[in-house]
Amino acid sequence: SDEGPSSRDQPDYKTEARMFSSVMNSTKLAVLFLLCMQNTLFTVMRRYSQGVLREQYSKYEVLLVGEFIKIVYSAFKIAADLSPSEKAVPRLRYLIRRSRKMAVLACIYGAMNILSFVSLRNISAGMFTIFAQLKILTTATCSTIMLGRSYSMTKWRALISLMMGVLLFSEPIWNNSERSKSPEGGNVVLGTAAVLTEVTLSGFASIYFEKVIKTDPEQLGIWERNYQLAFGSVPIYLMFMIFGGGGDVGHGGGWSIVAVMLAILGAAGGLLVALSIKHGDSILKTLATTGAIVFSATLDHMVLGGPLTSIMMIAGVQVVLSICNYTFDQTPSAEPSSNAPTPPAQRDEEMQKLNSENKN
């Protein structure tokens, strides 16, 4: 009688369960979950601050305070990790002198802020929202080019599905007649070029940061890189503050408890982004921030009465499924097939060896 399938042909459910459990319990997912929650709270609180309370503080002042918080916290962590023979001040001075790579990243973030301003002056908020979803694909493309990573077709399909889901979830923005109008006197070509440049820089900046953290020969710690990045960002936001004039209430005006909490949450977001890249990668960080769009809109609807249509709910399910499809994809890496043709050099070598044996 025919023998049943051998044990090696049967799926190893215990192994798969262990793999799934290890993924679910990993530090990586814990950090990504915290990043998702931080983005959610930050978005809802900012909507409450500016949409409900109508607070008039300068957003660049909030970002600047967040950078100072990151500097202080990172410096504390650096000092705590030093050996007893090392002193904190010389180490921090050394990091400032060696912060050129992070200063480049701070300048890229500054350029992205300027490009965002230029694009919104020339195209509608709806068009801007549509183009902004391309950050998902530009990050994956830069990862392939700069880090030499290859992604399975399942992952690429998940990313495209995610992008379409987020786009559909944002339907109340781009399908709004008021927000679909381009600003009066705006240059659509200039605005489109600006937003496309911004999303490209966003993908590049994420992968550049990951490459510096993981492959730089100096191999500085994550808190040291955070310290350098925050230190390099301070002059950028100071420049924005000076040219922005402090908004309608002037420099230092309009601050509240909510604004302070936003500064703290912003600082926490920067630290969590660095941790998520260290323990995961830039794509997973993008997934976490994208998933936060769904959670923040849901919380906004429950607390502040924001929109949550049936189309948005369907799109939200698609976003969550896309994130799961990407995260838990276990497609094996391609291996050479045993039926593949033998390379010519190897074939000639085998023929010579066979002829030699026949002569003997």
Side-chain angles (χ1 to χ4, degrees):
S1 60
D2 295 335
E3 295 181 358
S6 62
S7 59
R8 65 181 178 181
D9 295 330
Q10 297 177 351
D12 190 349
Y13 296 112
K14 291 183 178 179
T15 301
E16 291 182 1
R18 283 196 298 269
M19 291 175 60
F20 184 82
S21 178
S22 64
V23 170
M24 290 298 293
N25 296 324
S26 65
T27 304
K28 174 177 65 178
L29 283 194
V31 172
L32 292 173
F33 174 78
L34 290 175
L35 178 61
C36 183
M37 292 300 100
Q38 178 274 333
N39 271 266
T40 300
L41 289 175
F42 185 79
T43 301
V44 174
M45 287 194 65
R46 185 172 57 183
R47 160 118 160 74
Y48 174 70
S49 172
Q50 298 180 348
V52 177
L53 300 180
R54 304 290 182 182
E55 295 180 327
Q56 298 295 318
Y57 52 82
S58 168
K59 68 174 184 179
Y60 295 117
E61 291 181 7
V62 173
L63 292 172
L64 180 64
V65 172
E67 295 303 321
F68 279 121
I69 293 173
K70 285 197 287 184
I71 288 175
V72 173
Y73 185 79
S74 298
F76 174 78
K77 294 291 290 184
I78 292 168
D81 292 339
L82 292 176
S83 63
S85 60
E86 292 182 287
K87 293 184 178 180
V89 174
R91 181 62 181 175
L92 295 177
R93 288 176 179 171
Y94 169 81
L95 291 173
I96 293 173
R97 291 196 303 269
R98 303 285 295 179
S99 62
R100 178 169 49 89
K101 292 179 180 178
M102 290 295 98
V104 170
L105 187 60
C107 290
I108 293 175
Y109 287 146
M112 288 168 57
N113 270 289
I114 295 173
L115 288 167
S116 176
F117 176 78
V118 171
S119 61
L120 286 172
R121 286 286 299 270
N122 290 278
I123 61 175
S124 66
M127 285 185 65
F128 181 86
T129 302
I130 292 173
F131 284 119
Q133 308 317 316
L134 293 174
K135 291 179 182 180
I136 299 171
L137 294 184
T138 58
T139 303
T141 303
C142 288
S143 176
T144 302
I145 296 171
M146 297 171 62
L147 297 177
R149 289 189 178 133
S150 60
Y151 297 98
S152 67
M153 290 305 299
T154 301
K155 280 185 165 61
W156 281 111
R157 286 193 297 269
L159 291 175
I160 294 173
S161 175
L162 175 65
M163 183 182 71
M164 300 305 294
V166 174
L167 185 59
L168 189 59
F169 194 83
S170 307
E171 185 262 348
I173 298 177
W174 54 261
N175 199 26
N176 185 304
S177 58
E178 291 296 323
R179 296 188 176 187
S180 297
K181 294 179 181 177
S182 297
E184 187 176 350
N187 186 325
V188 176
V189 175
L190 176 62
T192 303
V195 70
L196 289 177
T197 305
E198 183 198 351
V199 298
T200 303
L201 283 177
S202 174
F204 173 82
S206 295
I207 303 303
Y208 175 84
F209 191 25
E210 181 178 355
K211 188 171 183 178
V212 171
I213 289 176
K214 294 183 176 179
T215 66
D216 188 72
E218 197 169 11
Q219 286 297 298
L220 295 177
I222 190 67
W223 302 116
E224 293 172 318
R225 289 300 187 190
N226 264 306
Y227 178 81
Q228 291 178 327
L229 179 58
F231 197 88
S233 299
V234 167
I236 305 294
Y237 291 128
L238 280 174
M239 180 185 68
F240 285 141
M241 281 176 54
I242 293 171
F243 286 102
D248 296 332
V249 291
H251 293 298
W255 275 79
S256 66
I257 297 297
V258 178
V260 173
M261 292 178 67
L262 282 172
I264 295 172
L265 279 172
L271 298 174
L272 286 169
V273 163
L275 285 173
S276 67
I277 292 176
K278 175 180 173 62
H279 294 289
D281 57 44
S282 297
I283 300 294
L284 291 176
K285 180 266 296 181
T286 302
L287 296 184
T289 54
T290 302
I293 296 174
V294 176
F295 291 118
S296 60
T298 304
L299 189 59
D300 179 61
H301 173 73
M302 296 170 60
V303 178
L304 303 177
L308 188 62
T309 64
S310 56
I311 293 178
M312 292 176 66
M313 289 190 286
I314 295 172
V317 173
Q318 180 180 341
V319 168
V320 174
L321 289 176
S322 300
I323 292 174
C324 291
N325 287 338
Y326 181 93
T327 305
F328 301 117
D329 173 44
Q330 296 184 12
T331 303
S333 57
E335 296 181 357
S337 172
S338 59
N339 296 324
T342 307
Q346 182 180 348
R347 186 171 60 246
D348 293 342
E349 183 180 348
E350 290 176 353
M351 288 296 295
Q352 291 177 2
K353 183 177 180 182
L354 181 62
N355 291 336
S356 176
E357 290 176 353
N358 290 336
K359 288 179 182 180
N360 293 334

